[in-house]
Amino acid sequence: MEKVKYGKTTYTLVPGGFDTFTEDKLILRHLKEGKSLEEIQETAKAVNINDSIDLIGSEGQIMRSLKGYAYSGQICEIEDYLVEEKAIPAEAENTTKAETDVEEIRTEVVTIIFSKPQNQ
């Protein structure tokens, strides 16, 4: 799974958790990694426009490094966020076609927004 590093902390991203599609904003969605919302916010507050925010691939390589972003002051916690759906084959005796059940994997995630300062 991809990760993101800002400040000196690395977090595991959820699918679609690295969003650079909004102009001048970087929206991240990641697991809490055992930290409180306040701890994550303090890490984010320390990020300034000279620091990099790094997207790290599953093998540990930096895939993308962004500079020029600072914490926007926007952070929220989502308690029951769907991170994965797993297909589980049903074990029905009288069925001719393979039926599957879906197991939903849900967890707590944080959505945090970094933005480029207006006067840059």
Side-chain angles (χ1 to χ4, degrees), residues 56-108:
I56 302 170
S58 58
E59 305 210 0
Q61 76 283 13
I62 294 178
M63 297 172 54
R64 190 165 181 189
S65 186
L66 300 172
K67 286 191 175 187
Y69 291 89
Y71 175 55
S72 70
Q74 297 176 311
I75 187 171
C76 71
E77 180 177 17
I78 304 170
E79 292 186 9
D80 196 28
Y81 189 86
L82 177 64
V83 292
E84 185 179 357
E85 287 184 336
K86 288 185 179 181
I88 302 171
E91 306 234 356
E93 291 179 14
N94 298 329
T95 183
T96 56
K97 110 179 172 184
E99 294 180 16
T100 58
D101 289 328
V102 176
E103 176 186 6
E104 293 184 343
I105 310 295
R106 295 179 175 271
T107 191
E108 291 181 326

Side-chain angles (χ1 to χ4, degrees), residues 21-22 29 33 36 40 48 58 70-71 94 105 107 111 114:
F21 300 111
T22 306
R29 279 176 214 83
E33 308 288 355
S36 70
I40 295 168
N48 67 56
S58 58
Y71 175 55
N94 298 329
I105 310 295
T107 191
T111 298
F114 292 88

